[in-house]
Amino acid sequence: QVQLVESGGGLVQPGGSLRLSCAASGINFSTYTMGWYRQAPGKQRESVALITSGSSTMYVDSVKGRFTISRDNAKNTVYLQMNSLKPEDTAVYYCNARFGNNYWGQGTQVTVSS
Protein backbone atom coordinates (compact mmCIF):
# COMPACT_ATOMS: atom_id res chain seq x y z
CA GLN A 1 0.00 0.00 0.00
CA VAL A 2 1.46 3.31 -1.14
CA GLN A 3 1.23 6.26 1.22
CA LEU A 4 2.47 9.81 0.84
CA VAL A 5 1.99 11.84 4.01
CA GLU A 6 2.59 15.59 3.89
CA SER A 7 3.25 17.78 6.89
CA GLY A 8 4.52 21.26 7.69
CA GLY A 9 1.78 23.45 6.31
CA GLY A 10 0.21 26.29 8.23
CA LEU A 11 -0.37 30.01 8.48
CA VAL A 12 2.59 32.32 7.91
CA GLN A 13 3.01 36.04 7.36
CA PRO A 14 4.25 37.41 4.04
CA GLY A 15 8.03 37.13 3.88
CA GLY A 16 8.05 34.16 6.21
CA SER A 17 9.20 30.60 5.69
CA LEU A 18 7.81 27.09 5.92
CA ARG A 19 9.26 23.66 5.25
CA LEU A 20 6.96 20.97 3.91
CA SER A 21 7.80 17.30 4.29
CA CYS A 22 6.40 14.28 2.49
CA ALA A 23 7.11 10.85 3.91
CA ALA A 24 6.63 8.01 1.44
CA SER A 25 6.02 4.33 2.07
CA GLY A 26 5.20 1.37 -0.13
CA ILE A 27 7.39 2.47 -3.03
CA ASN A 28 11.04 2.14 -4.02
CA PHE A 29 11.49 5.78 -3.15
CA SER A 30 14.94 6.36 -4.62
CA THR A 31 13.75 5.46 -8.12
CA TYR A 32 10.84 7.88 -8.15
CA THR A 33 10.64 11.44 -9.39
CA MET A 34 9.13 13.37 -6.50
CA GLY A 35 7.23 16.58 -6.87
CA TRP A 36 5.27 19.25 -5.09
CA TYR A 37 2.12 20.63 -6.68
CA ARG A 38 -0.32 23.22 -5.41
CA GLN A 39 -3.91 24.16 -6.01
CA ALA A 40 -5.38 27.50 -5.03
CA PRO A 41 -9.15 28.03 -4.76
CA GLY A 42 -10.71 28.29 -8.21
CA LYS A 43 -7.46 27.44 -9.98
CA GLN A 44 -6.00 24.34 -11.59
CA ARG A 45 -3.37 22.28 -9.84
CA GLU A 46 0.10 23.35 -10.91
CA SER A 47 3.55 21.86 -10.61
CA VAL A 48 5.73 23.81 -8.18
CA ALA A 49 8.95 21.78 -7.99
CA LEU A 50 10.28 18.39 -9.07
CA ILE A 51 13.32 16.36 -8.12
CA THR A 52 14.37 13.35 -10.14
CA SER A 53 15.94 10.13 -8.91
CA GLY A 54 19.28 11.66 -9.86
CA SER A 55 18.44 14.79 -7.83
CA SER A 56 17.99 17.10 -10.79
CA THR A 57 15.51 19.81 -9.88
CA MET A 58 12.97 21.91 -11.74
CA TYR A 59 10.86 24.82 -10.53
CA VAL A 60 7.97 26.87 -11.79
CA ASP A 61 9.17 30.38 -12.59
CA SER A 62 7.11 32.00 -9.83
CA VAL A 63 9.04 30.20 -7.05
CA LYS A 64 12.57 30.17 -8.47
CA GLY A 65 15.03 31.61 -5.96
CA ARG A 66 12.53 31.27 -3.12
CA PHE A 67 11.70 27.54 -2.89
CA THR A 68 14.09 24.60 -2.68
CA ILE A 69 13.15 20.97 -3.17
CA SER A 70 15.34 18.24 -1.72
CA ARG A 71 15.14 14.54 -0.93
CA ASP A 72 16.55 12.16 1.66
CA ASN A 73 16.44 8.66 0.22
CA ALA A 74 17.49 7.14 3.55
CA LYS A 75 14.33 8.59 5.13
CA ASN A 76 12.06 8.16 2.07
CA THR A 77 11.22 11.83 2.43
CA VAL A 78 11.04 14.81 0.11
CA TYR A 79 11.10 18.39 1.37
CA LEU A 80 10.06 21.77 0.10
CA GLN A 81 11.74 24.72 1.78
CA MET A 82 9.69 27.83 1.09
CA ASN A 83 11.19 31.23 1.82
CA SER A 84 10.01 34.78 1.16
CA LEU A 85 6.45 33.55 1.01
CA LYS A 86 3.85 35.68 -0.74
CA PRO A 87 0.06 35.75 -0.43
CA GLU A 88 -0.15 34.24 -3.92
CA ASP A 89 1.62 31.13 -2.59
CA THR A 90 -1.52 30.33 -0.60
CA ALA A 91 -2.79 26.93 -1.71
CA VAL A 92 -3.13 23.31 -0.80
CA TYR A 93 0.24 21.69 -1.48
CA TYR A 94 0.34 18.09 -2.68
CA CYS A 95 3.20 15.63 -2.78
CA ASN A 96 3.52 13.47 -5.90
CA ALA A 97 5.54 10.35 -6.67
CA ARG A 98 5.98 9.30 -10.29
CA PHE A 99 7.70 6.28 -11.87
CA GLY A 100 5.29 4.82 -14.36
CA ASN A 101 2.65 4.86 -11.66
CA ASN A 102 1.53 8.18 -10.22
CA TYR A 103 0.73 8.66 -6.54
CA TRP A 104 -0.59 11.64 -4.56
CA GLY A 105 -0.64 12.68 -0.95
CA GLN A 106 -3.69 14.12 0.77
CA GLY A 107 -2.42 17.69 0.72
CA THR A 108 -1.43 20.26 3.30
CA GLN A 109 -2.76 23.82 3.50
CA VAL A 110 -0.37 26.75 3.25
CA THR A 111 -1.82 30.17 3.97
CA VAL A 112 0.25 33.32 3.60
CA SER A 113 -1.51 36.26 5.18
CA SER A 114 -0.92 39.11 7.56
Side-chain angles (χ1 to χ4, degrees), residues 39-44:
Q39 188 166 18
K43 294 188 176 181
Q44 288 190 331

Side-chain angles (χ1 to χ4, degrees), residues 1-110:
Q1 180 182 359
V2 178
Q3 281 193 310
L4 301 177
V5 180
E6 299 105 331
S7 61
L11 172 65
V12 64
Q13 292 187 340
S17 297
L18 284 174
R19 188 175 83 152
L20 305 183
S21 300
C22 171
S25 59
I27 59 173
N28 187 1
F29 180 82
S30 64
T31 66
Y32 276 68
T33 290
M34 301 300 298
W36 288 97
Y37 291 70
R38 66 186 180 188
Q39 188 166 18
K43 294 188 176 181
Q44 288 190 331
R45 190 174 296 190
E46 67 170 349
S47 175
V48 175
L50 300 174
I51 184 165
T52 69
S53 59
S55 293
S56 295
T57 57
M58 290 166 280
Y59 298 92
V60 68
D61 285 348
S62 59
V63 308
K64 284 180 180 177
R66 299 189 298 123
F67 290 11
T68 303
I69 190 170
S70 61
R71 65 191 299 158
D72 185 337
N73 289 339
K75 295 182 178 180
N76 287 1
T77 300
V78 62
Y79 304 97
L80 185 68
Q81 178 67 44
M82 304 186 294
N83 299 328
S84 302
L85 282 160
K86 304 176 181 181
E88 51 263 43
D89 295 318
T90 295
V92 178
Y93 283 70
Y94 296 91
C95 177
N96 174 264
R98 188 178 73 221
F99 182 66
N101 294 319
N102 200 24
Y103 301 105
W104 293 93
Q106 82 285 352
T108 185
Q109 177 71 46
V110 172

